[in-house]
Amino acid sequence: MVLLMSACASSPEARQRKMEERIRVAQRVHEQIAEQHFRINVSMMHPQRYPAKMLTSPYYFEVIGDSVVSFLPYMGRAYNVPYGGGKALNFEGRVVNRDVQQVDPNQYLMVLDIDNDEALYRYTISTYDNGASTIDIYTRERESISFIGQMDVGR
């Protein structure tokens, strides 16, 4: 009985802490996008011709100003790549064009055109206030692929 009553008494405090954490995460997401300095840790990939696959290794996409680090796996058909397969989605590159919009109060849409000296990529990133993110990647040299992940807000 005492446990039940103490659980009910702490419930509003727990809700308050959860709300404060949600606000903190939303503020960090907004700040990181505004600063153009963020990292998205991906946990699932969606290739075009294959079923979705959970990722167990620590893959990520990071933006630091006009520089990016893409450390992502690739599955799909390649149309025009260098001998040996090229860099695929594992490279350091630079942002040549950027469009960032807040499409609604809880969602940002970023379109980044990235050059890695081998190909021009378009990364379309949708990020929500809770840090949940999707990354859609397009290039003429390979089939498109998508990823699901979480923005790292711990920095």
Side-chain angles (χ1 to χ4, degrees):
M1 181 75 160
V2 172
L3 285 175
L4 180 62
M5 292 191 61
S6 65
C8 291
S10 66
S11 182
E13 294 160 356
R15 280 194 296 265
Q16 179 67 26
R17 282 193 302 274
K18 278 185 177 181
M19 182 59 74
E20 289 170 357
E21 179 63 14
R22 284 186 195 142
I23 291 169
R24 186 192 73 77
V25 168
Q27 287 173 339
R28 287 297 296 148
V29 167
H30 176 75
E31 289 168 3
Q32 289 182 10
I33 290 172
E35 294 168 0
Q36 299 172 15
H37 188 178
F38 59 88
R39 177 179 174 140
I40 298 172
N41 299 310
V42 299
S43 57
M44 180 173 268
M45 66 188 280
H46 291 272
Q48 221 175 44
R49 296 180 183 267
Y50 303 96
K53 182 177 180 182
M54 293 294 295
L55 302 173
T56 56
S57 296
Y59 292 105
Y60 65 91
F61 175 70
E62 187 169 15
V63 174
I64 305 166
D66 286 338
S67 299
V68 298
V69 177
S70 178
F71 183 65
L72 299 171
Y74 182 77
M75 287 178 75
R77 191 173 277 176
Y79 304 119
N80 182 20
V81 295
Y83 182 74
K87 299 175 185 176
L89 300 179
N90 295 307
F91 62 84
E92 293 181 17
R94 61 184 176 80
V95 177
V96 294
N97 191 27
R98 175 188 326 256
D99 182 28
V100 180
Q101 300 175 23
Q102 188 168 2
V103 293
D104 70 42
N106 301 320
Q107 181 185 7
Y108 292 90
L109 180 65
M110 296 171 272
V111 178
L112 308 175
D113 292 333
I114 301 167
D115 185 9
N116 75 350
D117 299 326
E118 194 174 273
L120 185 64
Y121 291 88
R122 174 160 283 180
Y123 281 55
T124 303
I125 304 163
S126 184
T127 300
Y128 296 87
D129 275 355
N130 63 1
S133 303
T134 60
I135 305 171
D136 299 314
I137 303 172
Y138 308 94
T139 183
R140 282 194 259 171
E141 285 74 17
R142 300 174 189 273
E143 284 181 331
S144 61
I145 188 168
S146 298
F147 296 91
I148 295 174
Q150 185 73 26
M151 185 176 281
D152 183 355
V153 294
R155 288 186 287 142

